[in-house]
């Protein structure tokens, strides 16, 4: 199952997958960071389609078409703003990943690409967020044969390294359990 998870470095707007996940805000009103890049690449129809959804609570996800993106769909996930870790951030971040994966399955997607949700403007520590991302994706894939590949698209070397480290730790835990 671990071979269905790939960590890559790059720009998510270029990924050839069925669905790309956007790190959105709860108004689904566009913004900076990866949200800005996805909107710029998809074209103005994406903003219209996002606004028509009437928002999305933190920890959940909604979908629109991908318009001019190579991806057929955009799944708009709303991660938490980091405020020290004692305000349910971990559960909300895991929720955003899980809800996105559930939405991907509903859409019929087989390949999905994620950015590192909440680790930019929202300030979530990269290593902590990477662990949550990897664990949530791993647990979901274990129950879901439909998804062929989940790609975690990192925008910097540091982010990719945090994800590789989290994957190594999960691998370690897995083989300990198997022994
Ligand atoms: N491809 C992949 N990853 C990217 C790209 C890209 N083209 N551009 C940035 N990243 P952020 P958040 C990485 O700030 O923290 C927006 O204004 C970036 O390096 O985009 O969830 C929304 O509208 C970082 O690791 O999202 C919200 O208001 C990660 O994507 C708010 O920001 C997420 O950084 C959401 O904040």
């Amino acid at each position: 199952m671990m071979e269905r998870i790939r960590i890559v470095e790059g720009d998510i707007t270029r990924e050839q997958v069925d669905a790309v996940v956007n790190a959105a805000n709860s108004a689904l009103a566009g913004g900076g960071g990866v949200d800005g890049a996805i909107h710029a690449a998809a074209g103005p129809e994406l903003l219209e389609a996002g606004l028509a959804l009437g928002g999305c609570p933190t920890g959940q996800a909604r979908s629109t078409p991908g318009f001019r993106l190579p991806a057929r769909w955009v799944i708009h996930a709303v991660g938490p703003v980091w405020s020290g870790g004692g305000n349910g951030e971990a559960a909300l971040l895991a929720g955003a990943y899980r809800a996105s994966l559930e939405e991907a399955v509903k859409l019929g997607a087989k390949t999905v690409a994620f950015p590192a949700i909440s680790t930019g403007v929202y300030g979530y520590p990269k290593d902590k967020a990477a662990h949550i991302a990897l664990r949530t994706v791993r647990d979901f894939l274990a129950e879901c044969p439909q998804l062929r590949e989940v790609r975690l698209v990192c925008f910097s070397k540091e982010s990719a390294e945090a994800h590789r480290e989290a994957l190594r730790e999960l691998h370690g835990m897995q083989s300990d359990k198997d022994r």
Side-chain angles (χ1 to χ4, degrees):
M1 187 241 315
M2 293 303 213
E3 60 289 342
R4 290 153 68 200
I5 303 178
R6 274 184 62 206
I7 296 164
V8 301
E9 248 179 272
D11 175 355
I12 200 167
T13 64
R14 314 292 285 269
E15 292 294 323
Q16 306 276 340
V17 284
D18 297 331
V20 296
V21 176
N22 181 18
N25 53 65
S26 54
L28 304 180
V34 71
D35 196 3
I38 287 176
H39 277 271
E45 298 93 335
L46 185 64
L47 183 58
E48 214 175 297
L51 290 174
L53 294 170
C56 174
T58 304
Q60 296 189 28
R62 302 283 185 268
S63 61
T64 63
F67 300 102
R68 279 168 242 172
L69 286 169
R72 181 160 171 205
W73 298 288
V74 177
I75 297 172
H76 306 264
V78 184
V81 177
W82 177 259
S83 56
N87 293 293
E89 291 96 327
L92 289 167
L93 186 60
Y97 276 91
R98 204 164 33 243
S100 301
L101 292 162
E102 281 163 2
E103 189 65 24
V105 170
K106 257 191 248 165
L107 291 166
K110 294 195 167 21
T111 53
V112 187
F114 278 90
I117 299 171
S118 284
T119 67
V121 176
Y122 282 0
Y124 211 110
K126 286 190 194 312
D127 52 341
K128 287 188 170 57
H131 273 91
I132 291 170
L134 265 305
R135 201 173 49 232
T136 308
V137 170
R138 191 266 321 256
D139 290 352
F140 191 90
L141 287 179
E143 306 290 325
C144 178
Q146 181 193 304
L147 286 177
R148 205 170 63 222
E149 184 182 312
V150 173
R151 219 173 279 174
L152 301 175
V153 183
C154 302
F155 207 47
S156 66
K157 275 211 159 42
E158 186 198 356
S159 175
E161 199 34 61
H163 285 80
R164 286 191 199 106
E165 177 59 30
L167 184 61
R168 277 193 292 273
E169 281 190 21
L170 270 190
H171 262 304
M173 282 160 59
Q174 187 112 13
S175 41
D176 285 349
K177 249 190 350 209
D178 293 345
R179 272 200 282 270

